[in-house]
Amino acid sequence: MWKKLVCLLSVVAILFGAMGLVGCVNEEASARKNIKNNAGIEIPDDAKLEYRYAEESGVIPVHGRKAHYAVFTFENDPVDWLEENNFSEAKDTDFEHGFLDSAWGLVKVLGEKVPDEQIPNFQNIYLWLQANGVYFAYFPEQSMLMVYSTPS
């Protein structure tokens, strides 16, 4: 009797573990798909998803784009990808304001839901791009890409 119970519990634990791994893969695939669909830009394959927050539709579906935020890290700077997508090196306070503080900015829309360490610090050196309401900020010192899709 005990052997059957232990065996059953082991199978259940393995299934939950497998579902957790699938969930992680789905999170990353979903983040990449959202960025591709909204900005037309593919995140490089070697980028690793570190954090993701996606605004939910709730019980009643609402039309329009929801806010999405993803943070990726790289082992090596994606220099070619940054150049191919025309990231700018010039500091831009309008970009910073749009990313963080505008009416649709990250802090206004998702601020309470995103941990402070996942919010960009524009005091650091960064490269940036804005495409179709999607903000990309790459921080070379941390090899970190932060991508925020504004709601619409």
Side-chain angles (χ1 to χ4, degrees):
M1 174 71 175
W2 286 106
K3 287 183 180 180
K4 287 183 181 179
L5 182 60
V6 169
C7 193
L8 178 64
L9 289 175
S10 297
V11 169
V12 169
I14 290 170
L15 287 175
F16 277 116
M19 288 189 319
L21 289 175
V22 170
C24 291
V25 170
N26 288 340
E27 282 278 310
E28 184 155 343
S30 181
R32 288 172 181 274
K33 181 179 177 185
N34 175 271
I35 294 164
K36 171 72 172 151
N37 288 346
N38 291 324
I41 295 173
E42 288 189 37
I43 300 299
D45 292 336
D46 62 333
K48 179 183 174 198
L49 182 68
E50 295 293 329
Y51 176 81
R52 178 175 182 255
Y53 181 84
E55 195 173 47
E56 299 297 326
S57 295
V59 178
I60 301 172
V62 178
H63 295 293
R65 186 165 80 190
K66 306 290 179 252
H68 290 266
Y69 184 60
V71 178
F72 295 90
T73 57
F74 296 83
E75 285 194 30
N76 300 306
D77 284 334
V79 176
D80 292 340
W81 180 79
L82 294 166
E83 289 175 359
E84 288 167 11
N85 289 292
N86 298 312
F87 273 68
S88 176
E89 295 180 20
K91 187 169 181 63
D92 188 307
T93 55
D94 289 337
F95 170 80
E96 295 171 16
H97 174 72
F99 194 120
L100 293 177
D101 300 318
S102 69
W104 294 114
L106 176 70
V107 173
K108 299 277 188 207
V109 176
L110 301 177
E112 294 177 2
K113 300 167 186 153
V114 176
D116 289 343
E117 62 271 11
Q118 300 298 344
I119 294 176
N121 179 354
F122 289 114
Q123 301 302 313
N124 295 331
I125 295 170
Y126 67 93
L127 289 85
W128 65 275
L129 174 69
Q130 184 179 359
N132 300 323
V134 180
Y135 292 83
F136 295 81
Y138 181 74
F139 295 87
E141 292 174 3
Q142 296 88 9
S143 296
M144 184 176 291
L145 175 69
M146 298 177 166
V147 184
Y148 174 53
S149 299
T150 60
S152 60

